[in-house]
Structures are given as C-alpha cells and as structure tokens.
Amino acid sequence: MSGFLVKRILQMLLALFGVSIVVFALMHLVPGDPVRVALGTRFDQDLYDALRERAGLDQPLIQQYLSWLGGVLTGDLGVSFRNGQPVTTLILERLPATITLALAALFIALVVALPAGIISAVRSGSGLDYTVSAASQVGISMPDFWAGVMYILIFSLTLGWLPSSGYSPLSEGVVEWARHLILPALTIGLISGSIITRFVRSAVLEALNQDYVLTARAKGLSEWQIVRRHVLPNAWIPIVTVVGLQLGFLLGGVVVTEVIFAWPGLGRLALTAVKDRDFTVLQGAVLYIAFMFLAINLIVDIIYARLDPRVRVS
Amino acid sequence: MSDQAPATDDRLAAKPVSRTRETIQTLMANRLAVAGLVVLTILVFVGIFGEAIAPYGINDIDIPKRLTGPSSDHWFGTDELGRDVFSRVIVAARVSLQVGFIAVGFALVVGVPIGLISGYYRGGVDSFLMRMMDVLFSFPAILLAIAILAVLGPGVGNAMIAIGLVYTPIFARITRGSVLVVSEEVYIRAARSLGAGDRRIIFRHILPNVMAPIIVQTTLSLAFAILSEAALSFLGLGVQPPNPAWGRMLAEGRNFFEQAPWMGIFPGLAILFTVMSFNFVGDGLRDALDPKQKSVIESRGQSA
C-alpha cells in the first residue's frame, strides 16, 4: 500500500507540473501586453514599469516560468495587476467561503443521494423507483442559475425567510452563517445530489445482478443483508469516484452560484479577474483550484485502492 | 455491436433477433424515452427553421409593449425592449443544440479510445494517458471555459472547444474504470486463452460491456454541455448580443424578475425540458442496450 501511495503522490506532482505549464501558458497566450491591458484607462508609467518588473515580463520565457514556479512553491503567486495586492492573500481570503459552500452542498447531496439511490435500485421498477428517478431527472436538468433565482424569488423576495445574497463568517454567529448558507448550498447540493443518485442507483443495480448475489439469495439471506454485505462493498468504487468528482466540481466550479448569491468564493474571484483582465489573479485562482482538485483525486484513488485490492495489486 | 450475431454467442443463440431492432423495440416501449424523442425531434426542427416559425423577429423592438405578460399576441410575454420572448426562446434553440452536439461529440471521440487503451494495457501507457487526463481534469468545466474565453475572447465557437476539452477526461476515466473491472471477468480470460487478439478482445468483449456507463455519461454530458453553454451565456461570455441565448435571456430577465418573471421563467423552462429530454432518451437507450440491467428486470418479473 505504501508503494502505491508514493506512486500516486509522484503522479499528482507530475500532474501539478503539467497544470502549472498550462496555467502559465494561459497568460502568455493573451494577445498584447497583459499589464497594459489590466491597467486599461488607469495607465501610469511608474506603476506599469513596477508591475512589469515585479512580474519579470522582460526576461526570457523559460526564466519567467522558473521564477514564477519558484514563487508558487514558496507561496508567492505574484501581485494583482489591478491593485497590487498579493494574489496569495486574495485567494486565502476567499477560501473559507468556497470550502464552506462546497462541503455544505456535498452534505446535502449525500444525505439525499445515498438513501434515494440505494432504495431506488433495490426496489427497482417500483413506484418509489420511478418517483426517485423523476425527481433526480428534474434535479439534473435544472440550470443552477435558474434554481438559485427561483429560490431567491420564493424564500427571500416572497416569504422573506432567508437573505438573498452574501456570506456571513462562522465567527459572527452560527445562525447568520447558516441563514446565508442555506440557499446557495441547496442550489448546487440538490443538483449534485441528483447526479450522485443516478450513479448510486446504477452501481447498486449492477452489483445486485452479480452471481454472488444469486448465491447469497440461494443461501437464504434477507434482501437487506445481501445489500449490506454483498452489494454495497462492490458498489462503492463507482460511487466514491463520482462523489470525488462532484466535490472537485463543487470546490472550483460553482462560479454561477457564487455570482447569483454574491458569495465571496474563488470562482467569483476568477470571474472578476477575467472581466478585469487581471491575469495574475486568474492564474493564481485557477492554479489553486486545480491543486485542490488534484488532491481530491489522490484521496479518491487511495480510497479506490482500499476498496478494490485488484486495482492496488496491478 | 453488429447486426449479425455469430452462432457461438450464447446470448443470442436461442433467439436470433437483430440487436438493433431489439434495441429500437425496447426503446419504443419506454414512454419517457418516446416523449424525450418527440421533444428532441421538435427541438431539432425548431433549431433548423427557428426564424421561419417565430411569430416576431428576434430583435423587433416595441417599447410601448415592454414588459407585458403572456397573452395571445405574445405567448411568453415581452422583455424590457418589448421584444417577443417566445420568438427569442425558439430561435435560441439552435445554438444550444449546436454547442451540445459538437462539444460532446468531440469529447466522446477523443475520450473513449483513451479510456479503452488505458484500462486494457495498463502500465506505462495507462499512467501517461491518465496523467494527461488529470491535467485537463484539474480544471473545473466552467472555470476552464472561462479561462479559455479570457484568452480567446467570448464566443460560441470557443465555448464549444472549452466544453469539449473539459468532458474528454470524464469519458476517458469512466471508460477506463469500467474496463479495469471488466478485464477481470472470466470471459475475458477465456477469450484470451482461446487465442483472441487484443483488438478482438477490446472491441468484441470489452467495449460492449462498458457501453452502459458511456451511454449514461453521454446523455449526462449532452445535458451538461447545454447547461454549460447556458451558464457561460448567463455570465456574458457565450453567445453575444443581440443574438438570443437561453442563458443570457435569463441573466437579463433577472434584473426585471419581480416585474416580469416570465423573462426568466420561460428560457429556464426551455433549458430544463431540453436537458430532461436528452436524459429520458439516454435512459431509454441504456435500458435497451444494457443486457445485464434488462436481465435484472426480467428476473425480477419472473420471481414476482
């Protein structure tokens, strides 16, 4: 197992290296001078020279990459072309909101998806199965921005129960924190849960159809015992994979939900950076999100290997 | 999956029925799938002939009639410039379908072979391909799309490239995961011991047995691709004004949501129904194509 672990961590570092090249190339593919573009109408020669020197834009490309990479490794992602603030600070400020939203959404998703998917597969073909399938179809097909706007219309504007936007840190009270969190977490949590439900159902159904289930049934085990002892251990692999994928998306891909609820997360930071053409911030945010994503993939792989020794041995 | 089943295939030996015909028959017996097919057929028709069907021009401005609710003149009401929401929803169908099909087609054609090779040969090839997929996969869909659009500039074509690239590693991974499991099955070892070559094993024995998750993923991805385009347009990075797109109409409608909810409700419903139709058809196809799952239903029917 430790050999497997070392191999996977090396692979992750390799992927991060690839990511860093893609992210670095991104800024240099932008036509024109990124500093001039970022400054726009607020152009000032001294500021311009300082930013260019700070970003090392006069050096050869390889050197720029290496010094940028060196900075990244020591936690220095450069400064914003827009306001001169360190990118690392900007990202760390946004991190709590992003992680809070992602975990809350995943919690909602799992609470809905695991029971719904398992029951739906075990009672396959029943009215309950059709109800779960129909509900998950609507959830999967729902645009997150539409759901978010509808929730605001119902729960904020009409009923006045919950705030329509903003983020309240946990340090300023649990109630306000939760009140602000509910609508954005529901918006993406239910959609994510619908996706996971489908995979749980497929995985359990697949496992239910194996010969060892027939054997177990022949032995006279109850349906619930079969599910618990024979089906679930074999269904976990695809389930863990899809849950990992979902968490990755929740941590980096909820730009739209963040925009609708004015949620101060990483996704909105990236989008603002695009609109401001502030490429150091975009670079840093994308790199950071990619890093979190890879770390989650690593964890998924480790769980994967623990659940299925065949994968580990090969 | 050919029409001509060899006599040795015990699954079909008992009753030699064309697999394609069987699939179509099963699909047609599924009411939801048929409903999805009907909606999609209408959508494709609307996508092709949008301007000809629409009762008004998409940019016919009629200020005195601005923000009026649904009526016999304007089925879906009018927007802040008095433009007909129904006509704009209809014409916007085309761009959604285009983005969906092109982006997912790209992902499928590139991703599935990568997954097959990776899962079957394992070792160095697997590591190399999967690390490349990891790099691509390290960027959440919307974020990569936003980053690419930041470089190339906003637009539909660039959105297709971004969405296609983002879904490629998903197909590769899901295919590979299933191949890893299927490769351990006894019938693969049996085929190999009978002297079957790699190509035969991959295409005749592995691919048919990993199709179900790929089909599920294709339908989900078509849905997601359309949703992604809508999201990008919602953020102002996809389809550009004055052309209508469901996502952008929703974003514009948001500013008038309390006065004129129909501006946001109808484009949202259009997205919802389109995506749902793809899912219904995909589910029907899965039931029809996946013999394992069918046998579950059959065996349950017999035991009941």
Side-chain angles (χ1 to χ4, degrees):
Chain A
M1 186 72 190
S2 67
F4 170 82
L5 202 66
V6 170
K7 206 175 108 192
R8 277 287 185 273
I9 289 172
L10 285 177
Q11 283 169 345
M12 178 185 156
L13 291 176
L14 199 67
L16 261 182
F17 177 65
V19 165
S20 75
I21 290 176
V22 172
V23 169
F24 178 79
L26 203 72
M27 191 169 92
H28 292 270
L29 285 172
V30 179
D33 180 338
V35 179
R36 197 177 284 272
V37 168
L39 288 177
T41 51
R42 303 170 304 121
F43 185 80
D44 172 274
Q45 190 63 44
D46 289 343
L47 183 60
Y48 174 79
D49 291 341
L51 282 172
R52 272 194 76 89
E53 205 196 315
R54 179 78 172 74
L57 288 177
D58 299 322
Q59 295 165 341
L61 218 55
I62 295 283
Q63 190 138 15
Q64 282 186 45
Y65 173 70
L66 289 177
S67 62
W68 176 71
L69 194 64
V72 168
L73 292 176
T74 56
D76 176 11
L77 293 167
V79 295
S80 161
F81 286 162
R82 199 78 183 171
N83 53 28
Q85 273 188 289
V87 175
T88 309
T89 311
L90 289 172
I91 290 174
L92 290 179
E93 277 172 10
R94 301 296 188 108
L95 210 52
T98 288
I99 293 177
T100 304
L101 182 55
L103 291 181
L106 189 70
F107 176 76
I108 292 174
L110 288 178
V111 164
V112 173
L114 288 179
I118 293 171
I119 293 170
S120 183
V122 172
R123 300 268 172 270
S124 160
S126 69
L128 194 66
D129 181 26
Y130 285 120
T131 311
V132 169
S133 294
S136 72
Q137 287 285 7
V138 174
I140 288 168
S141 312
M142 185 76 78
D144 49 1
F145 42 92
W146 196 55
V149 170
M150 289 293 164
Y151 292 153
I152 290 175
L153 183 73
I154 297 168
F155 295 107
S156 300
L157 300 179
T158 308
L159 298 172
W161 290 352
L162 295 164
S164 64
S165 69
Y167 166 71
S168 173
L170 193 52
S171 55
E172 287 174 26
V174 180
V175 176
E176 275 311 296
W177 172 80
R179 273 167 49 86
H180 283 85
L181 184 56
I182 289 173
L183 290 186
L186 265 184
T187 301
I188 43 176
L190 288 181
I191 291 170
S192 195
S194 304
I195 294 167
I196 298 175
T197 302
R198 273 173 82 112
F199 277 84
V200 172
R201 183 180 179 277
S202 301
V204 172
L205 215 49
E206 172 100 30
L208 268 174
N209 190 43
Q210 300 293 327
D211 286 341
Y212 49 74
V213 172
L214 254 175
T215 311
R217 223 169 255 148
K219 284 197 304 187
L221 290 187
S222 75
E223 199 66 22
W224 173 240
Q225 276 177 314
I226 293 171
V227 168
R228 197 166 53 88
R229 303 243 310 260
H230 298 282
V231 172
L232 286 185
N234 288 289
W236 279 130
I237 296 174
I239 294 174
V240 165
T241 308
V242 76
V243 169
L245 295 183
Q246 284 301 310
L247 181 60
F249 277 115
L250 292 176
L251 278 170
V254 293
V255 184
V256 178
T257 306
E258 289 185 0
V259 168
I260 289 172
F261 291 97
W263 192 261
L266 279 177
R268 221 172 103 227
L269 181 72
L271 184 72
T272 313
V274 169
K275 297 217 158 145
D276 289 349
R277 309 194 70 72
D278 192 348
F279 287 98
T280 37
V281 173
L282 180 63
Q283 229 176 10
V286 172
L287 187 73
Y288 202 89
I289 291 168
F291 170 73
M292 288 199 297
F293 207 100
L294 282 175
I296 288 166
N297 273 339
L298 178 71
I299 295 166
V300 168
D301 275 352
I302 293 169
I303 298 173
Y304 208 107
R306 280 197 69 87
L307 292 174
D308 189 350
R310 290 175 301 187
V311 175
R312 186 167 70 227
V313 170
S314 69
Chain B
M1 241 169 271
S2 70
D3 290 354
Q4 298 298 317
T8 50
D9 191 334
D10 61 277
R11 207 192 316 124
L12 295 173
K15 193 186 170 196
V17 181
S18 151
R19 185 73 186 277
T20 310
R21 180 182 292 177
E22 202 190 348
T23 302
I24 292 171
Q25 281 171 350
T26 317
L27 191 64
M28 286 305 151
N30 183 328
R31 262 176 287 171
L32 285 180
V34 172
L37 270 178
V38 170
V39 173
L40 288 183
T41 309
I42 295 170
L43 259 171
V44 169
F45 181 79
V46 163
I48 295 170
F49 300 105
E51 285 90 347
I53 304 169
Y56 297 85
I58 49 170
N59 288 311
D60 288 357
I61 293 171
D62 188 1
I63 299 292
K65 281 201 157 182
R66 68 194 293 268
L67 300 176
T68 54
S71 64
S72 56
D73 285 346
H74 298 280
W75 292 359
F76 291 178
T78 61
D79 67 7
E80 81 279 13
L81 297 173
R83 294 177 297 191
D84 183 43
V85 175
F86 179 64
S87 301
R88 290 175 69 78
V89 167
I90 277 188
V91 172
R94 181 183 305 153
V95 77
S96 283
L97 292 177
Q98 276 175 342
V99 174
F101 281 120
I102 294 173
V104 174
F106 176 91
L108 199 62
V109 166
V110 180
V112 171
I114 291 178
L116 283 172
I117 292 169
S118 208
Y120 185 74
Y121 291 104
R122 308 199 186 182
V125 183
D126 180 27
S127 294
F128 176 74
L129 288 174
M130 282 303 116
R131 265 31 320 143
M132 273 179 55
M133 291 297 102
D134 278 355
V135 172
L136 266 183
F137 213 3
S138 309
F139 305 97
I142 286 292
L143 195 71
L144 178 60
I146 287 172
I148 288 179
L149 295 173
V151 174
L152 300 180
V156 182
N158 297 337
M160 288 178 192
I161 295 173
I163 296 167
L165 270 175
V166 165
Y167 290 114
T168 299
I170 298 184
F171 281 100
R173 274 202 153 209
I174 288 198
T175 307
R176 174 181 175 270
S178 307
V179 171
L180 279 182
V181 174
V182 169
S183 300
E184 304 291 332
E185 301 281 353
V186 180
Y187 55 81
I188 300 298
R189 286 209 295 273
R192 195 172 288 133
S193 69
L194 286 173
D198 287 348
R199 253 179 82 169
R200 186 177 168 82
I201 292 177
I202 291 176
F203 288 105
R204 287 220 43 97
H205 299 285
I206 292 182
L207 191 58
N209 285 294
V210 300
M211 279 310 286
I214 294 173
I215 288 168
V216 175
Q217 191 56 45
T218 303
T219 65
L220 283 173
S221 297
L222 272 170
F224 292 159
I226 288 171
L227 284 175
S228 298
E229 182 277 319
L232 288 173
S233 295
F234 179 83
L235 296 174
L237 297 170
V239 176
Q240 297 301 304
N243 293 323
W246 293 335
R248 243 208 28 252
M249 294 175 72
L250 237 159
E252 290 161 359
R254 211 180 137 210
N255 304 323
F256 302 91
F257 210 69
E258 277 177 281
Q259 300 157 265
W262 51 86
M263 278 178 67
I265 287 174
F266 289 111
L269 284 176
I271 300 170
L272 186 65
F273 281 118
T274 304
V275 172
M276 213 146 62
S277 302
F278 276 114
N279 283 332
F280 284 156
V281 175
D283 273 1
L285 269 174
R286 180 184 54 189
D287 292 347
L289 279 174
D290 187 348
K292 280 186 179 176
Q293 189 171 326
K294 197 164 67 181
S295 74
V296 170
I297 297 164
E298 281 167 357
S299 66
R300 282 177 172 255
Q302 280 159 11
S303 65

